[in-house]
Amino acid sequence: FEIDNNGIRSTRLSNTCSSALQEARNQVRRAEEAHKSAVSKFMEESKTHYFEIEQNRVVTAVDRASVSKKKENIRGLSRSGKTAYVEPEKLRKLADALEKAQYAQQQAEDAVLASLWTEVRLLESELRLCLIDAGRLDALRARFRLGNAWRGSVPRVTTVASTDGILALEARHPVLCLDNTQVTPVDLDLAPGRCAILQGANGGGKTQYLGTLGLLALLVKAAIPIPAAQGSIVTFFPTILADVENAAKLTFPNASTYEGFLYFASYALNTEKALILFDELGSGTDSAEGGAIGVAILESLLQKQNAVCAATHHPSVKAQAISRPEA
């Protein structure tokens, strides 16, 4: 294929592909020059108005009754049928020659492409591997560009068997970083078998904290630099579950808020060594009942070495966290 002066490869076949293609293109060029020259000269000498009705076909409008079918080449008729668009014989022959040359050029190009396709098929397996590798490189480049966009860093990654857990320093919410929103960095600290309880007034940032925690864990699984300071540690969790911003309600649209929470909790209770996030733990029902259920869920999850972070307004859940500082 041809490459221009800027080193950009075009989709046009190079003349060096075959002598037949080069000769066919020379024929087209000569035919185009002859036709263009004849049209210009014809229009200068003629007192009749001529125009191009279709590609390379120059015609004039005449009364159809005066047209001799044997001597004139009619290219079309007006809507009424009374006017004929006639192509002069000399120009018709040159236009026919040009079309013939263009057809020969197309045939020569098709022959080159067919030959190339035969060669490509012999390398099908190698080319597929190259395509796969190119996709992997493109994905790596995309990961780097995304991490660079929010001035990310590469954390030390640990397994759920490690006691280090998540220790993200000056972490920022990834989505807010991309929106160029002013973000207040927070330190995230959570390990498998431990639970962090978030409390505070509505609008105080609990949901953003949960979102930051969950998204950083997902970014590590995707091998993307995280928006946090150097020296951060993030656990690679095989499973990440989050009931944040009514996610359970969206997953179970026909269920009430409380039913959606129970569905999510039921799934979480059958999971181990996972990162599990609750926004408004035990909400959607009576405060005493919701708090009791919340405490029971947290205790069960911690027994399976899950790392749990939950935002809540229930006093009983807060009290349980205070009474069990080791968890």
Side-chain angles (χ1 to χ4, degrees), residues 169-302:
L169 307 174
E170 299 179 9
R172 291 162 285 131
H173 195 291
V175 176
L176 297 181
C177 289
L178 292 179
D179 289 340
N180 294 321
T181 303
Q182 187 65 32
V183 181
T184 301
V186 295
D187 292 340
L188 307 177
D189 187 0
L190 183 64
R194 300 294 300 274
C195 175
I197 299 298
L198 308 179
Q199 60 174 324
N202 290 328
K206 298 188 299 297
T207 300
Q208 297 304 327
Y209 186 100
L210 290 167
T212 303
L213 183 60
L215 288 174
L216 260 58
L218 287 172
L219 290 174
V220 165
K221 295 190 70 172
I224 299 174
I226 63 173
Q230 293 285 350
S232 295
I233 304 171
V234 179
T235 301
F236 185 99
F237 289 98
T239 303
I240 300 173
L241 303 176
D243 181 11
V244 179
E245 296 184 351
N246 294 322
K249 176 62 176 174
L250 294 174
T251 306
F252 308 103
N254 296 324
S256 66
T257 301
Y258 184 60
E259 287 174 329
F261 160 71
L262 291 179
Y263 284 134
F264 175 81
S266 175
Y267 186 85
L269 288 169
N270 291 309
T271 306
E272 61 181 21
K273 298 181 180 180
L275 173 63
I276 303 175
L277 309 175
F278 289 97
D279 194 5
E280 302 297 343
L281 176 66
S283 62
T285 187
D286 175 76
S287 179
E289 180 181 338
I293 292 176
V295 169
I297 290 173
L298 293 179
E299 291 291 346
S300 297
L301 292 175
L302 294 180

Side-chain angles (χ1 to χ4, degrees), residues 41-244:
K41 183 178 180 180
F42 190 86
M43 288 188 173
E44 289 175 1
E45 297 175 352
S46 176
K47 297 180 180 179
T48 307
H49 175 67
Y50 284 85
F51 58 92
E52 191 174 43
I53 192 173
E54 56 186 88
Q55 188 176 16
N56 301 323
R57 296 295 178 175
V58 177
V59 298
T60 185
V62 299
D63 183 15
R64 185 182 183 184
S66 64
V67 176
S68 171
K69 294 183 179 180
K70 294 182 180 180
K71 297 182 180 180
E72 305 289 354
N73 181 40
I74 300 177
R75 301 299 302 180
L77 300 173
S78 65
R79 185 172 298 180
S80 65
K82 296 181 180 180
T83 301
Y85 301 113
V86 178
E87 181 182 24
E89 182 65 15
K90 180 179 180 181
L91 297 183
R92 182 191 68 79
K93 290 182 178 179
L94 290 173
D96 287 347
L98 176 56
E99 288 185 353
K100 184 178 180 180
Q102 290 173 335
Y103 178 77
Q105 175 184 282
Q106 185 62 54
Q107 293 292 99
E109 290 179 350
D110 289 346
V112 171
L113 291 174
S115 175
L116 289 174
W117 174 242
T118 301
E119 294 181 20
V120 166
R121 290 190 63 183
L122 297 176
L123 300 172
E124 180 180 359
S125 298
E126 291 84 351
L127 289 173
R128 286 186 180 276
L129 292 176
C130 288
L131 183 61
I132 292 172
D133 289 340
R136 290 171 176 168
L137 288 173
D138 189 52
L140 288 173
R141 181 171 178 267
R143 292 184 178 102
F144 170 78
R145 292 184 63 183
L146 180 58
N148 191 53
W150 52 45
R151 306 184 307 279
S153 65
V154 178
R156 180 162 67 88
V157 181
T158 62
T159 66
V160 290
S162 171
T163 58
D164 293 329
I166 296 177
L167 181 59
L169 307 174
E170 299 179 9
R172 291 162 285 131
H173 195 291
V175 176
L176 297 181
C177 289
L178 292 179
D179 289 340
N180 294 321
T181 303
Q182 187 65 32
V183 181
T184 301
V186 295
D187 292 340
L188 307 177
D189 187 0
L190 183 64
R194 300 294 300 274
C195 175
I197 299 298
L198 308 179
Q199 60 174 324
N202 290 328
K206 298 188 299 297
T207 300
Q208 297 304 327
Y209 186 100
L210 290 167
T212 303
L213 183 60
L215 288 174
L216 260 58
L218 287 172
L219 290 174
V220 165
K221 295 190 70 172
I224 299 174
I226 63 173
Q230 293 285 350
S232 295
I233 304 171
V234 179
T235 301
F236 185 99
F237 289 98
T239 303
I240 300 173
L241 303 176
D243 181 11
V244 179

